[in-house]
Amino acid sequence: MTGSRSAKDFFRPLAVGAPTPLTEIPARPSRAIHFFDPSNPKMAAKVPDLVGTVDVLLGNLEDAIKADNKEAARQGLVDIATETDFGPTQLWTRINALDSPWVLDDLTTLVPAIGHKLDVIMVPKVQGAEDIHYVDRILAQLEAKAGLDRPILVHAILETARGVANVEEICGASPRMQGLSLGPADLAADRRMKTTRVGGGHPGYLVRQDPPKNDVGVADVDAKRATYQQDLWHYTISRMVDACAMHGIYPYYGPFGDIADVVACEDQFRNAFLLGCVGTWSLHPKQIAIANRVFSPSVEDVAHARRVVAAMGDGTGAVMLDGKMEDDASLKQCLVMVELAEQLAAIDPELKKQYDEIGTDA
Ligand code: GLV
Ligand code: MG
C-alpha cells in the first residue's frame, strides 16, 4: 500500500541524493540467518570463520543483548563489519525496537559507518505501516548523507497481534521491504498464548482420534486413542507467506529455542519450507546445517521437477508421468523448485554438484 502517496512517487528516494529504491527484491539465498552477539568477544571472533558457511550473518542488537551491553554490541558490529570481508555471505543486523531509547543511535551509527556493507536491517516488533515509514525516511536521509549507492533493505519481525492484523500493509509499506520473520516468543506473549516455548509445537495443542464404539454403539471415550500434535504457528506462517508473495518479498520462520532438539527443529523448519518460507533463523551453529538442508530442495524433488519441465514442452496442455497428471499449473509448481535449485547452486558448490549429478529422474 502506498498510503496517500501517488503510485508514481513510490519508487522515488525519500531524501535528496538517496539511492533509487529497487522495483524488485533480488532472490538472494538466505536459508539460515545466523544470529551473533557483537558484544561477545568469543562470538565475534568466530564470525570470520562462519563467512561462506552460512547465507546470512546477523549482528543482533535487540533482545538477548543486555541493556548494559547495547552500546558495546553496536560498536562491536561496526568493528566486525569493518574488519571482515563477507564475500558471498550477506550481513544483516537486528536493530532495537522503535519504542526503545537505543534505536536512533543504532541507525545513525551503523549507516554511516558500515551502511555500504549492510544488506538488510531487521526491525523488531513492527506494528503497522507507520513503523516502516519511520525507518524508511530515516534510512533515506542517512544513506544520502553517507553517499550510499544502493538502498539498505528492511525486514520486519512479525511478533505482535497488531502486526499480524496489519501484515499486508507492512509488506507493502516501502519498496525497501525485503521480507518478514515470525517472532514466536514475542508473538505468544503479546497474544497471551499459553506456551512458554520459543517456537516449536506444544504437546497440549493436538487433535484426537474419534473414540471406538462398543457393541451397542456407545462411544468408549476412555479407550486408548491416537493423538496428533498440531502446529501452533501454521496460521501465522500461512498469513505471512500470502502477504509476502503478494508483495514480491520473502517469508522466513524465526527462532527455534530448543537447541538440543534438532529433530523437532528440523520438522518446524520443514513445515515452514513446505508452506513457502525461504529460510529461518539459526541461534546455534548446529542449526545452520539443519536450515541449509531443509531450505534446499531435495535432489529427488529437483529431478522430478526437471522431468516435468522437460515433458511439458511449451508449457501448455497435460501429460501423464508415472500415472500422475501434470499440466500448466503443476509445471509452475515445478518451476518454483527448479528456479530455487538454480539460485542455490549458484552460491553452493556442493549442492550444485548434487543437482548436476542427478539430472532428471527419467
Ligand atoms: C523473536 O524475536 C521472537 O520474539 O520470537
Ligand atoms: Mg522478539
Side-chain angles (χ1 to χ4, degrees):
M1 272 202 294
T2 56
S4 56
R5 264 198 296 166
S6 160
K8 291 198 293 306
D9 293 336
F10 198 59
F11 292 96
R12 280 189 221 277
L14 286 174
V16 177
T20 306
L22 303 180
T23 52
E24 240 176 84
I25 301 300
R28 294 185 67 182
S30 39
R31 295 165 290 186
I33 303 165
H34 184 68
F35 275 53
F36 66 91
D37 171 356
S39 73
N40 177 332
K42 244 177 76 194
M43 256 194 215
K46 286 195 191 134
V47 167
D49 294 338
L50 289 167
V51 168
T53 69
V54 60
D55 295 343
V56 179
L57 281 163
L58 180 144
N60 179 28
L61 306 183
E62 200 224 10
D63 290 356
I65 310 298
K66 280 181 91 62
D68 288 351
N69 281 341
K70 292 289 185 188
E71 280 173 25
R74 187 189 297 137
Q75 189 52 46
L77 179 57
V78 170
D79 295 343
I80 294 164
T82 307
E83 287 156 18
T84 309
D85 176 358
F86 288 91
T89 299
Q90 296 184 59
L91 177 65
W92 294 20
T93 184
R94 177 169 75 167
I95 56 172
N96 285 288
L98 300 182
D99 62 358
S100 77
W102 302 294
V103 63
L104 195 58
D105 288 344
D106 292 343
L107 291 169
T108 58
T109 303
L110 297 180
V111 177
I114 58 167
H116 57 293
K117 285 193 158 178
L118 268 181
D119 293 291
V120 175
I121 291 181
M122 187 182 269
V123 184
K125 302 178 177 70
V126 171
Q127 302 270 13
E130 74 281 7
D131 288 342
I132 303 300
H133 295 159
Y134 174 85
V135 172
D136 201 7
R137 178 77 77 171
I138 293 181
L139 283 178
Q141 294 163 347
L142 293 170
E143 286 167 347
K145 196 167 164 209
L148 298 190
D149 58 8
R150 48 138 192 101
I152 299 171
L153 301 181
V154 168
H155 179 110
I157 312 179
L158 205 61
E159 51 185 350
T160 65
R162 188 152 87 80
V164 176
N166 291 331
V167 64
E168 288 88 5
E169 68 163 42
I170 290 169
C171 291
S174 160
R176 287 183 199 276
M177 281 302 297
Q178 179 276 343
L180 288 183
S181 286
L182 174 73
D186 271 301
L187 183 56
D190 194 61
R191 281 178 171 161
R192 308 191 70 73
M193 289 168 72
K194 306 304 183 294
T195 168
T196 53
R197 299 176 173 198
V198 176
H202 192 288
Y205 193 69
L206 51 79
V207 293
R208 188 181 302 268
Q209 191 182 29
D210 271 4
K213 295 209 168 93
N214 67 16
D215 300 347
V216 288
V218 176
D220 176 9
V221 295
D222 294 323
K224 199 163 163 45
R225 290 183 268 164
T227 58
Y228 307 90
Q229 202 171 313
Q230 305 291 291
D231 184 354
L232 276 175
W233 305 107
H234 177 85
Y235 158 78
T236 314
I237 293 175
S238 303
R239 283 208 60 186
M240 286 171 49
V241 168
D242 284 342
C244 286
M246 162 181 170
H247 287 286
I249 68 173
Y250 303 101
Y252 298 76
Y253 179 72
F256 190 91
D258 190 344
I259 308 294
D261 193 350
V262 289
V263 176
C265 175
E266 176 152 352
D267 293 337
Q268 181 78 70
F269 287 0
R270 186 163 289 105
N271 287 353
F273 173 69
L274 288 169
L275 280 176
C277 291
V278 299
T280 186
W281 299 7
S282 146
L283 304 181
H284 185 279
K286 65 185 173 187
Q287 293 186 339
I288 297 176
I290 304 173
N292 284 351
R293 178 164 69 246
V294 170
F295 287 92
S296 308
S298 70
V299 283
E300 292 78 17
D301 280 347
V302 174
H304 171 75
R306 284 185 188 154
R307 185 170 168 223
V308 173
V309 173
M312 278 296 291
D314 75 352
T316 65
V319 295
M320 292 297 288
L321 285 181
D322 305 330
K324 297 188 187 110
M325 190 277 302
E326 309 286 350
D327 69 356
D328 311 48
S330 62
L331 170 67
K332 287 179 194 153
Q333 292 172 272
C334 290
L335 287 173
V336 169
M337 209 67 92
V338 171
E339 278 163 19
L340 177 57
E342 279 167 9
Q343 285 155 9
L344 295 175
I347 59 132
D348 187 331
E350 176 49 35
L351 208 53
K352 179 170 164 33
K353 220 172 101 220
Q354 292 174 28
Y355 290 152
D356 284 350
E357 270 165 17
I358 198 144
T360 67
D361 67 358

